[in-house]
Amino acid sequence: MQIKVTISNQCDKKEFLNAVRINGLLKYNLNKTSGKLKEPDIEIIRIARNKDGTIIGGASGSTYLSSLELEVMWVNENYRGQNIASQLLKEIESEAKAAGCHLAHLPLILFKPQSSI
């Protein structure tokens, strides 16, 4: 016996979020990771400061299901080439791994050259 369903776009974002992402997909994935995913949807921020306490770099990312998405990575030009970005990324990756993540997504950044008009 085939079950009759209706497919439509008639729902608001909150209803979709609660029914599909949280109570559907998230619960399913938490169960399938056998406890590896300890805490979903963590925002992770790390900053680097110079000896004067001025922020000279930072990175942020967030976890979803079993992956980390790196959203921001920046180091002041005067401090580049000193492995600061690597240290920031290592810290974020470490926290994401502790939360049960085993994948990382990096954003694709496209630069449009300035025209010479």
Side-chain angles (χ1 to χ4, degrees):
M1 178 179 184
Q2 188 173 4
I3 299 171
K4 182 175 176 8
V5 298
T6 303
I7 308 292
S8 75
N9 63 351
Q10 306 265 329
C11 76
D12 62 32
K13 288 182 181 182
K14 187 174 182 178
E15 181 183 26
F16 181 85
L17 177 69
N18 288 331
V20 176
R21 287 187 70 182
I22 294 173
N23 291 317
L25 186 59
L26 182 58
K27 283 185 179 179
Y28 175 83
N29 283 301
L30 283 170
N31 184 42
K32 289 296 181 184
T33 61
S34 302
K36 291 178 185 168
L37 181 61
K38 296 169 184 70
E39 187 177 348
D41 299 324
I42 301 170
E43 184 176 354
I44 307 169
I45 298 172
R46 294 293 184 271
I47 57 169
R49 296 181 186 268
N50 66 12
K51 64 181 179 185
D52 299 324
T54 303
I55 294 176
I56 52 96
S60 70
S62 58
T63 65
Y64 182 71
L65 300 178
S66 60
S67 66
L68 164 69
E69 182 171 336
L70 185 66
E71 297 155 346
V72 174
M73 172 71 76
W74 169 80
V75 174
N76 182 294
E77 289 147 13
N78 297 327
Y79 293 87
R80 292 182 185 168
Q82 299 178 42
N83 292 320
I84 295 168
S86 295
Q87 292 174 54
L88 290 165
L89 184 57
K90 185 177 178 181
E91 289 284 328
I92 286 180
E93 286 179 335
S94 178
E95 187 168 337
K97 284 180 184 178
C101 293
H102 61 269
L103 296 171
H105 302 277
L106 303 176
L108 175 64
I109 301 173
L110 302 175
F111 293 96
K112 182 178 178 185
Q114 294 182 348
S115 64
S116 57
I117 296 177

